[in-house]
Amino acid sequence: MNVYDSQRMADALAADGYRPTDIMEDADLVLLNTCHIREKAAEKVYSELGRIRVLKDERAKQGRETVIGVAGCVAQAEGREILRRAPVVDLVIGPQTYHRLPSVVKRAKTGEKIVETEYAIEDKFEHLPAPGRKSVRSRGVTAFLTVQEGCDKFCTFCVVPYTRGAEVSRPVTQIVAEAERLAEAGVREVTLLGQNVNAWHGEGPGGNEWGLARLLLRLAEIPGLDRLRYTTSHPRDMDDDLIAAHRDLDKLMPYLHLPVQTGSDRILKAMNRKHSAADYLRLIERIRAAKPDIAMSGDFIVGFPGETDEDFEDTMRIVRDVNYAQAFSFKYSSRPGTPGAEMQDQVPEKVKDERLQRLQALLAEQQHAFAKSLVGGEIDLLIEKPGRQAGQFVGRSPWLQPVIVDERAGRIGDIVRVRITRAGSHSLFCEPMRNLNADPMGAAKGESV
């Protein structure tokens, strides 16, 4: 989501002549796009601002003006507190108000200190400019596309409902139009984004309400768009139609990120997840029955307030039962303003550390086993970018792993058939079989990006 939002901020500023640079010292405008999910991420903002202050001072000595902004969820949550703690900041702008960024920057250049976090619920999807073809092409052959914002679930550990707001679904016409522009510019794989993306619902052209499954079916009709993904999902919003889409829609990749957070029913209730471990496991069974080759990914929190050794063992048990191809795991981080922050029985850091190490060891074992299971098999690989070594490209497997392939296999944007020869610690290696890019849309698919 933050990658997508960064691109949208760049698009909003492009009309005023701003262009991205990879060298901060060259920048007239520096924007930190921030995350408020965990305390460590929020605190890193202030340490980074300390380094940027030195840069701003040095540029000022040279007579060069630099505008400093903080964007994203930390901006939304902390607002004027950022200006108090870091006077170097000129503007603070929340994730719902990026369409106002050009006017905010102009005001900041006059010396005004600005906090822009108030918004109408429909603003973000209504006013952001469409990215130009040149902007899209510069991003490569894969792209993110936001279809849903916010969250109504109010899990007790999570700050998202307070920083991103209530669940809002983007209209079908906007989504399809942007996906068509992406495909025309050479994008072959789109990942639909949302805090609860499978809760998306919108009015279709005929006036009837669509769910995410119907939207995926419509996007699959777009010429040139060959791969579809979506993230992040909530188990309570995984309906029959969406499971059927995984079964029936070849363009929908066999990979599903479906967080459970913990395997303990007691902790799930304390988290306000509104499902049990058994509910989650039954859902996994139904998904795998519909799509046997699907790879499961998840999120886990260890050390939630009140978590006992027995609760943690329930988490280890559900991990073994599901057998994840990939997962993300974290120590519980108390976020101000959430119910979890006020709970008793906070777990000591030492206990959190030990549990996280055990969980991550099991998840790494499962991830490596899944990668090894692919060795000897054939897959369709989308070539995305040059590799680190000369003569290599990097692509993504249907299950989202990076795959190293010889550059003679094809060109960036091609989909090639390969045989997996080896599983490394973080990547797969392969030998090319044949190029499946038989009928590209003009030159966009076949040329280097």
Side-chain angles (χ1 to χ4, degrees):
M1 183 67 74
N2 279 7
V3 171
Y4 179 88
D5 282 349
S6 293
Q7 292 169 345
R8 284 309 207 187
M9 283 189 275
D11 292 337
L13 291 163
D16 285 355
Y18 284 93
R19 296 291 180 268
T21 176
D22 294 326
I23 304 171
M24 190 182 297
E25 289 74 13
D26 293 343
D28 303 296
L29 169 63
V30 178
L31 290 170
L32 293 186
N33 194 5
T34 62
C35 178
H36 203 248
I37 288 290
R38 287 176 294 281
E39 183 178 11
K40 184 177 180 181
E43 286 303 314
K44 283 173 68 176
V45 174
Y46 292 101
S47 61
E48 184 67 19
L49 287 171
R51 288 189 286 271
I52 291 173
R53 179 182 59 79
V54 175
L55 169 66
K56 184 171 183 175
D57 289 345
E58 290 176 351
R59 282 175 56 98
K61 292 175 184 177
Q62 302 166 7
R64 301 166 66 191
E65 181 184 45
T66 311
V67 176
I68 308 299
V70 176
C73 289
V74 173
Q76 188 70 37
E78 301 194 10
R80 291 200 172 274
E81 175 66 8
I82 295 173
L83 298 181
R84 187 191 68 80
R85 288 185 60 179
V88 68
V89 174
D90 300 298
L91 68 93
V92 176
I93 188 164
Q96 313 295 338
T97 50
Y98 293 149
H99 59 282
R100 302 179 198 161
L101 191 55
S103 63
V104 168
V105 170
K106 289 175 183 176
R107 289 164 57 198
K109 291 179 74 172
T110 69
E112 182 182 354
K113 295 281 188 175
I114 304 165
V115 175
E116 191 78 33
T117 55
E118 298 297 322
Y119 62 93
I121 199 167
E122 73 280 359
D123 268 1
K124 179 161 187 175
F125 293 145
E126 289 296 327
H127 301 296
L128 278 179
R133 180 182 174 89
K134 183 177 180 181
S135 172
V136 172
R137 288 292 304 282
S138 68
R139 297 172 192 169
V141 296
T142 65
F144 296 121
L145 199 169
T146 290
V147 301
Q148 183 268 344
E149 273 269 357
C151 183
D152 294 342
K153 299 298 188 290
F154 286 93
C155 298
T156 56
F157 57 82
C158 188
V159 74
V160 165
Y162 311 102
T163 57
R164 290 279 179 170
E167 287 182 4
V168 181
S169 293
R170 193 177 183 187
V172 172
T173 52
Q174 285 189 23
I175 297 169
V176 172
E178 183 168 348
E180 289 174 341
R181 286 193 297 269
L182 292 169
E184 289 168 2
V187 169
R188 301 197 71 176
E189 177 180 294
V190 164
T191 300
L192 307 184
L193 296 179
Q195 271 78 41
N196 278 325
V197 68
N198 56 343
W200 178 90
H201 56 88
E203 183 177 317
N208 56 323
E209 186 172 274
W210 289 16
L212 185 63
R214 181 68 189 88
L215 178 64
L216 288 163
L217 290 169
R218 173 64 183 88
L219 296 177
E221 297 172 357
I222 296 174
L225 203 56
D226 296 289
R227 292 187 167 198
L228 298 171
R229 303 183 188 272
Y230 63 91
T231 196
T232 291
S233 304
H234 195 289
R236 287 167 52 202
D237 295 315
M238 198 75 197
D239 61 22
D240 292 342
D241 289 343
L242 192 50
I243 294 173
H246 278 280
R247 180 193 64 208
D248 301 332
L249 194 56
D250 290 339
K251 289 187 177 183
L252 181 57
M253 293 294 96
Y255 176 89
L256 177 59
H257 186 67
L258 192 65
V260 65
Q261 307 298 353
T262 176
S264 163
D265 284 346
R266 194 176 69 85
I267 299 300
L268 283 168
K269 184 175 181 180
M271 288 179 168
N272 195 36
R273 294 289 289 176
K274 296 182 180 177
H275 63 79
S276 67
D279 294 335
Y280 182 82
L281 290 172
R282 283 192 293 269
L283 180 59
I284 297 294
E285 283 184 16
R286 292 174 55 214
I287 293 166
R288 283 179 165 159
K291 189 70 174 177
D293 66 337
I294 200 165
M296 298 303 305
S297 171
D299 289 343
F300 293 91
I301 295 172
V302 301
F304 187 79
E307 184 187 69
T308 64
D309 289 341
E310 184 179 353
D311 293 324
F312 176 70
E313 291 304 327
D314 286 341
T315 296
M316 296 291 279
R317 188 174 301 111
I318 204 170
V319 170
R320 294 188 185 98
D321 287 345
V322 174
N323 194 14
Y324 289 90
Q326 185 177 349
F328 305 93
S329 52
F330 313 94
K331 294 185 294 183
Y332 170 71
S333 179
S334 177
R335 307 312 296 129
T338 63
E342 306 300 322
M343 290 181 177
Q344 303 299 310
D345 299 324
Q346 297 287 329
V347 177
E349 285 298 312
K350 184 177 179 180
V351 175
K352 291 183 189 178
D353 288 337
E354 188 273 335
R355 289 175 182 170
L356 184 64
Q357 289 176 22
R358 286 185 57 201
L359 175 61
Q360 289 183 339
L362 176 58
L363 291 170
E365 179 183 314
Q366 291 186 348
Q367 182 174 338
H368 186 59
F370 177 73
K372 286 184 66 176
S373 73
L374 300 175
V375 174
E378 295 183 12
I379 65 168
D380 293 341
L381 179 69
L382 173 60
I383 300 177
E384 291 189 19
K385 59 185 179 181
R388 291 182 179 178
Q389 297 183 14
Q392 290 183 342
F393 280 140
V394 178
R396 292 280 175 175
S397 78
W399 303 282
L400 212 55
Q401 304 119 310
V403 183
I404 311 301
V405 65
D406 189 288
E407 66 178 2
R408 291 172 294 183
R411 293 176 291 185
I412 291 174
D414 284 354
I415 295 177
V416 298
R417 189 74 172 175
V418 302
R419 178 181 291 116
I420 304 301
T421 57
R422 180 166 63 91
S425 55
H426 300 290
S427 304
L428 299 173
F429 296 83
C430 68
E431 58 183 14
M433 306 295 291
R434 60 187 180 278
N435 194 317
L436 303 178
N437 198 49
D439 186 25
M441 284 188 61
K445 286 189 185 175
E447 65 188 32
S448 296
V449 176

